[in-house]
Amino acid sequence: MDVDRRRFLELAAGVLAALSLPGCASLVSTRVTPVDGTVRLPIRNFPQLARPGGYLKVQPDGAATPLYVLALDDGYAVLSPICTHLGCTVNVEGARLLCPCHGSTYDRQGRVLRGPAERPLQRFPATVTAGGELVVRLEGRP
Ligand code: FES
């Protein structure tokens, strides 16, 4: 029984270590349940959103694809990760979002920096409440 508990603690420590590495953030999605087409995220619960440059991958229940929540210098951008060229999933790489398929590059607001994509990533309206919640409206989301 002690061996099982020790193994559990080792696995839990490994998971916590992976979650704390910035480069591993893309491996983990935070599941959320939309209510009336809106997702609410208490920012204080997500240290990766505390500073510009951080980001969080969010998986709304029932949605086919996740969202990227990116901390900017002056707020947040909530973007679809689906490349507007041919639909591959882009990766957050520091100040840019890169498509692994044909190299399209976007900035952290979803604007195209380099093609072949010609249109920006889909961006969802997001506001921060006085209570520190990021409120994202999922309008237009497939
Ligand atoms: S699908 Fe992203 S660059 Fe082609």
mmCIF file of all heavy atoms in Angstrom, residues 83 85-88 99 101-104 106 116-117, ligand 1:
data_model
loop_
_atom_site.group_PDB
_atom_site.id
_atom_site.type_symbol
_atom_site.label_atom_id
_atom_site.label_comp_id
_atom_site.label_asym_id
_atom_site.label_seq_id
_atom_site.Cartn_x
_atom_site.Cartn_y
_atom_site.Cartn_z
ATOM 1 N N CYS A 83 -5.617 27.998 -37.981
ATOM 2 C CA CYS A 83 -4.986 28.818 -39.018
ATOM 3 C C CYS A 83 -5.994 29.109 -40.129
ATOM 4 O O CYS A 83 -6.734 28.223 -40.560
ATOM 5 C CB CYS A 83 -3.777 28.076 -39.581
ATOM 6 S SG CYS A 83 -2.891 28.982 -40.859
ATOM 7 N N HIS A 85 -5.362 29.763 -43.136
ATOM 8 C CA HIS A 85 -4.938 29.309 -44.462
ATOM 9 C C HIS A 85 -5.692 28.025 -44.813
ATOM 10 O O HIS A 85 -6.619 28.061 -45.605
ATOM 11 C CB HIS A 85 -3.411 29.105 -44.501
ATOM 12 C CG HIS A 85 -2.921 28.594 -45.814
ATOM 13 N ND1 HIS A 85 -2.059 27.527 -45.920
ATOM 14 C CD2 HIS A 85 -3.187 28.995 -47.084
ATOM 15 C CE1 HIS A 85 -1.805 27.303 -47.199
ATOM 16 N NE2 HIS A 85 -2.483 28.180 -47.923
ATOM 17 N N LEU A 86 -5.344 26.926 -44.182
ATOM 18 C CA LEU A 86 -6.007 25.657 -44.482
ATOM 19 C C LEU A 86 -6.433 24.895 -43.239
ATOM 20 O O LEU A 86 -6.730 23.709 -43.311
ATOM 21 C CB LEU A 86 -5.099 24.773 -45.351
ATOM 22 C CG LEU A 86 -4.822 25.297 -46.770
ATOM 23 C CD1 LEU A 86 -3.849 24.369 -47.494
ATOM 24 C CD2 LEU A 86 -6.118 25.433 -47.570
ATOM 25 N N GLY A 87 -6.447 25.560 -42.095
ATOM 26 C CA GLY A 87 -7.078 24.958 -40.936
ATOM 27 C C GLY A 87 -6.212 24.161 -39.990
ATOM 28 O O GLY A 87 -6.745 23.449 -39.126
ATOM 29 N N CYS A 88 -4.904 24.238 -40.095
ATOM 30 C CA CYS A 88 -4.058 23.569 -39.105
ATOM 31 C C CYS A 88 -4.145 24.323 -37.770
ATOM 32 O O CYS A 88 -4.637 25.446 -37.712
ATOM 33 C CB CYS A 88 -2.604 23.542 -39.578
ATOM 34 S SG CYS A 88 -2.325 22.443 -40.987
ATOM 35 N N CYS A 99 2.110 28.545 -37.484
ATOM 36 C CA CYS A 99 1.426 27.383 -38.040
ATOM 37 C C CYS A 99 2.471 26.387 -38.517
ATOM 38 O O CYS A 99 3.333 26.738 -39.333
ATOM 39 C CB CYS A 99 0.521 27.796 -39.194
ATOM 40 S SG CYS A 99 -0.368 26.365 -39.863
ATOM 41 N N CYS A 101 2.103 23.912 -40.460
ATOM 42 C CA CYS A 101 1.846 23.317 -41.776
ATOM 43 C C CYS A 101 2.559 24.038 -42.910
ATOM 44 O O CYS A 101 3.275 23.411 -43.687
ATOM 45 C CB CYS A 101 0.346 23.248 -42.032
ATOM 46 S SG CYS A 101 -0.471 22.069 -40.927
ATOM 47 N N HIS A 102 2.385 25.350 -43.017
ATOM 48 C CA HIS A 102 2.991 26.086 -44.131
ATOM 49 C C HIS A 102 3.659 27.363 -43.669
ATOM 50 O O HIS A 102 3.985 28.220 -44.484
ATOM 51 C CB HIS A 102 1.948 26.397 -45.215
ATOM 52 C CG HIS A 102 1.119 25.222 -45.601
ATOM 53 N ND1 HIS A 102 -0.180 25.045 -45.168
ATOM 54 C CD2 HIS A 102 1.423 24.123 -46.336
ATOM 55 C CE1 HIS A 102 -0.645 23.897 -45.625
ATOM 56 N NE2 HIS A 102 0.298 23.318 -46.341
ATOM 57 N N GLY A 103 3.786 27.537 -42.371
ATOM 58 C CA GLY A 103 4.592 28.636 -41.853
ATOM 59 C C GLY A 103 3.904 29.964 -41.636
ATOM 60 O O GLY A 103 4.574 30.959 -41.354
ATOM 61 N N SER A 104 2.592 30.026 -41.764
ATOM 62 C CA SER A 104 1.945 31.302 -41.465
ATOM 63 C C SER A 104 2.282 31.717 -40.032
ATOM 64 O O SER A 104 2.394 30.887 -39.133
ATOM 65 C CB SER A 104 0.427 31.201 -41.623
ATOM 66 O OG SER A 104 0.088 31.138 -42.986
ATOM 67 N N TYR A 106 1.413 34.695 -36.962
ATOM 68 C CA TYR A 106 0.477 35.709 -36.457
ATOM 69 C C TYR A 106 1.087 36.367 -35.230
ATOM 70 O O TYR A 106 1.897 35.752 -34.521
ATOM 71 C CB TYR A 106 -0.847 35.054 -36.048
ATOM 72 C CG TYR A 106 -1.520 34.238 -37.133
ATOM 73 C CD1 TYR A 106 -1.186 32.904 -37.335
ATOM 74 C CD2 TYR A 106 -2.504 34.785 -37.944
ATOM 75 C CE1 TYR A 106 -1.807 32.151 -38.313
ATOM 76 C CE2 TYR A 106 -3.140 34.041 -38.926
ATOM 77 C CZ TYR A 106 -2.788 32.712 -39.106
ATOM 78 O OH TYR A 106 -3.402 31.966 -40.073
ATOM 79 N N PRO A 116 1.405 31.962 -45.846
ATOM 80 C CA PRO A 116 0.365 32.216 -46.847
ATOM 81 C C PRO A 116 -1.008 32.646 -46.304
ATOM 82 O O PRO A 116 -1.840 33.070 -47.100
ATOM 83 C CB PRO A 116 0.240 30.869 -47.577
ATOM 84 C CG PRO A 116 0.693 29.857 -46.584
ATOM 85 C CD PRO A 116 1.761 30.540 -45.767
ATOM 86 N N ALA A 117 -1.272 32.547 -45.022
ATOM 87 C CA ALA A 117 -2.570 33.012 -44.522
ATOM 88 C C ALA A 117 -2.732 34.494 -44.859
ATOM 89 O O ALA A 117 -1.753 35.262 -44.803
ATOM 90 C CB ALA A 117 -2.662 32.803 -43.015
HETATM 91 S S1 FES B 1 -2.629 25.776 -42.724
HETATM 92 FE FE1 FES B 1 -1.493 27.249 -41.643
HETATM 93 S S2 FES B 1 -0.079 28.000 -43.076
HETATM 94 FE FE2 FES B 1 -1.223 26.566 -44.193
#
